[in-house]
Amino acid sequence: MGRSIVGEALRLLRIFNGYKSAELAEKLGISQSYVSEIENNKKQPTMDILDKYASVFEMKKSTLLLFAEALENDVEVQNDKKQKVALAGMKLLKILERVGKFEDE
């Protein structure tokens, strides 16, 4: 999985979950600049940071990585941010459904 895709996936998940980068940084216990560096692919998130993201977004780390992989496989993702978020959200919902996140609902 390309490092750029993980940063992009984490950015899209942040937007999808309605967090501003400062809010998310606080929840993750890291600086806002570190969140920005991860999202802009200047830094690779550690497994510990990925665990924190998964916890904040209430998903398994494996689901988070599956989401990033699904994005990586979709090379023709549009440049329009709203379309990107909508597409990512749809993919996320499909992945969550597949791994049983909605079984109890």
Side-chain angles (χ1 to χ4, degrees), residues 1-86:
M1 177 175 345
R3 75 190 281 166
S4 63
I5 299 301
V6 174
E8 175 72 352
L10 294 175
R11 185 183 71 79
L12 290 170
L13 282 167
R14 174 179 60 77
I15 293 167
F16 185 75
N17 283 279
Y19 288 106
K20 299 214 178 296
S21 58
E23 289 177 283
L24 182 62
E26 191 176 319
K27 285 191 169 289
L28 295 172
I30 61 177
S31 69
Q32 184 177 355
S33 62
Y34 189 33
V35 169
S36 178
E37 287 173 324
I38 290 170
E39 291 182 0
N40 292 300
N41 310 307
K42 292 179 180 161
K43 293 224 169 130
Q44 181 80 17
T46 63
M47 284 300 175
D48 183 50
I49 295 293
L50 288 175
D51 283 334
K52 289 178 180 181
Y53 268 94
S55 176
V56 168
F57 296 143
E58 297 179 354
M59 61 173 51
K60 294 177 184 172
K61 184 168 54 178
S62 59
T63 303
L64 192 151
L65 294 172
L66 273 173
F67 175 60
E69 189 177 326
L71 280 180
E72 181 177 42
N73 294 334
D74 187 15
V75 250
E76 74 280 351
V77 171
Q78 304 89 344
N79 286 330
D80 181 275
K81 284 185 182 179
K82 286 185 181 175
Q83 286 181 337
K84 235 179 185 179
V85 171

